[in-house]
Amino acid sequence: VRTVTVELGPRSYPVVVGPGARLALPEHVPARSRRAALVTQEDLGIEVDPGIEWRRFVVGQGEEAKSLPTVERLCSGMAAWGLSRADVVVGVGGGVVTDVAGFVAAVYLRGVAAIHVATTLVAQIDAAIGGKTGVNLSEGKNLVGAFWQPRAVLCDTDVLATLPRRERLNGLGEMAKYALLGEAGLERLPIEEQVARAAAIKARLVSVDELDTSGSRALLNYGHTLGHALEWACVLRRRERPSSAPDLRHGEAVAVGLVFAAVLARVLGRVGEEAVLRHREVVSAYELPSSVPGEITAAELLELMAKDKKAVDGLTFVLDGPRGPEVVPGVATGAVLEALREVGAS
Ligand SMILES: NC(=O)c1ccc[n+]([C@@H]2O[C@H](COP(=O)([O-])OP(=O)(O)OC[C@H]3O[C@@H](n4cnc5c(N)ncnc54)[C@H](O)[C@@H]3O)[C@@H](O)[C@H]2O)c1
Ligand SMILES: [Zn+2]
């Protein structure tokens, strides 16, 4: 078991990674807590024991469950039970659960302690670390939320054994991102080691840019500008013809976005062809897709990317370069189109 620290002065906290990490839960429960609200999902079947009186609060499946009605229902249940300011909320699940549990902990009684037991790869290397919590509105994802750092994040690699293949791939898309953000050879290490190193990168970026204002944390969007646009293009097509539309999960779309970002960096003369090959190698080592499904057009992707929230000054991308990956604003449309065609957009 390895421990990575998110350094935030008095609010620093450990991310514990390894087989059986969830068994350490009682050690991280605040000494004054008398009760723990376990926020989790039905059928997850991952048992945790906080070592104090506890009650289970269930969150539904998927993005629809990440909602204000869920938050209200959980807060009401906690109030009816008498959960106090000294007590603790423990999120046990993937990113949907930790986002909701973290937000409930941030707002219930104006803030109670939170601990996350992250059970998906996405939650272990991304969602549960860093204090971004929140829920969706019908107008869009993650539109209501708060920064609320947990007391500890437990990443038990044993529980990853039951993850469905598609969920695993989804997480590996983010893992590929960390591999390309500067952990050369990450893809060849044992999974516990990969999770620990990825968590360490996330922890470091959160430490220097807790509130996502200085630009450092923006590096975590590597591969995401195109990734988000691709995810959207797939959602739009599924609405029209649910059975035959291309279906890329977030991590898979990010994988294509990583290869695209490398090609774009080469088109702009920031890196050479060997960097593109390295991106392709990492993505293929994780058995992730590296090209845009053929029917999705470059024009459509360009339009979707222009709507991306980071597009303040022309198109903005995180791009590799002589100093490593950095945020690059104002990228010319022509270069973007050329790179999109090279990764398969029609
Ligand atoms: N706060 C952040 O910084 C941040 C970062 C990245 C993603 N997110 C959010 O995280 C969410 C996605 O998280 P996710 O990918 O973990 O999805 P998820 O939470 O929906 O989990 C995916 C599925 O796996 C199941 N599951 C969880 N653990 C399992 C296990 N060990 N074995 C078998 N099944 C298991 C869940 O019940 C669910 O059906 C999104 O809402 C996204 O916005 C937040
Ligand atoms: Zn992501």
Side-chain angles (χ1 to χ4, degrees):
V1 175
R2 285 191 35 179
T3 300
V4 164
T5 306
V6 181
E7 301 283 356
L8 290 168
R11 287 171 299 109
S12 297
Y13 58 94
V15 179
V16 183
V17 181
R22 72 185 190 283
L23 303 176
L25 179 58
E27 294 164 33
H28 299 280
V29 168
R32 60 197 187 124
S33 296
R34 294 286 160 266
R35 288 173 165 179
L38 301 189
V39 177
T40 186
Q41 284 172 323
E42 205 96 61
D43 303 329
L44 194 58
I46 296 171
E47 301 294 333
V48 300
D49 180 3
I52 54 175
E53 186 191 352
W54 58 271
R55 202 176 267 204
R56 195 187 307 271
F57 293 84
V58 175
V59 174
Q61 284 286 334
E63 291 297 321
E64 287 90 272
K66 225 178 95 171
S67 68
L68 284 171
T70 298
V71 171
E72 181 170 14
R73 181 172 54 77
L74 296 188
C75 289
S76 292
M78 291 172 193
W81 184 32
L83 196 77
S84 82
R85 286 217 58 196
D87 293 330
V88 60
V89 171
V90 180
V92 183
V96 164
V97 167
T98 59
D99 276 12
V100 169
F103 186 61
V104 164
V107 297
Y108 178 70
L109 301 180
R110 301 192 185 87
V112 300
I115 298 175
H116 297 313
V117 179
T119 66
T120 63
L121 207 43
V122 167
Q124 295 191 352
I125 64 177
D126 196 357
I129 306 169
K132 280 190 181 178
T133 72
V135 297
N136 305 322
L137 296 179
S138 50
E139 285 74 12
K141 271 191 60 141
N142 301 326
L143 292 183
V144 174
F147 283 95
W148 192 251
Q149 300 294 345
R151 298 299 175 96
V153 179
L154 308 181
C155 302
D156 191 333
T157 48
D158 281 343
V159 307
L160 298 175
T162 54
L163 261 196
R165 177 184 147 80
R166 214 65 200 283
E167 298 302 340
R168 191 178 171 83
L169 276 181
N170 196 30
L172 290 176
E174 301 292 346
M175 195 70 90
K177 172 185 82 179
Y178 291 114
L180 293 164
L181 276 176
E183 274 289 334
L186 188 68
E187 71 277 11
R188 291 191 290 273
L189 300 174
I191 192 70
E192 298 84 42
E193 191 62 24
Q194 292 193 37
V195 171
R197 290 192 187 207
I201 299 178
K202 171 108 192 206
R204 193 169 69 237
L205 292 172
V206 168
S207 295
V208 296
D209 187 15
E210 183 184 7
L211 305 179
D212 199 2
T213 46
S214 81
S216 307
R217 206 164 159 158
L219 288 182
L220 294 165
N221 290 322
Y222 197 30
H224 280 61
T225 310
L226 179 65
H228 285 144
L230 268 176
E231 261 186 290
W232 255 115
C234 291
V235 168
L236 296 176
R237 275 174 178 68
R238 270 203 300 283
R239 280 186 194 157
E240 288 159 19
R241 44 183 180 87
S243 55
S244 62
D247 169 30
L248 289 178
R249 297 289 311 277
H250 176 76
E252 296 167 323
V254 166
V256 179
L258 290 166
V259 172
F260 161 80
V263 172
L264 180 57
R266 195 209 61 221
V267 167
L268 294 170
R270 299 173 53 87
V271 297
E273 182 59 24
E274 71 292 344
V276 177
L277 286 176
R278 157 101 187 113
H279 281 66
R280 289 192 182 280
E281 258 168 43
V282 168
V283 164
S284 98
Y286 287 122
E287 296 175 38
L288 288 160
S290 57
S291 58
V292 174
E295 64 177 82
I296 298 178
T297 68
E300 174 181 4
L301 291 171
L302 202 58
E303 196 182 311
L304 288 168
M305 286 192 286
K307 288 188 192 144
D308 193 286
K309 58 179 184 272
K310 294 186 303 305
V312 279
D313 172 22
L315 282 172
T316 301
F317 295 92
V318 176
L319 295 176
D320 206 355
R323 291 171 302 276
E326 60 191 355
V327 176
V328 181
V331 177
T333 308
V336 175
L337 283 172
E338 185 182 335
L340 281 172
R341 299 238 159 76
E342 195 170 323
V343 294
S346 50

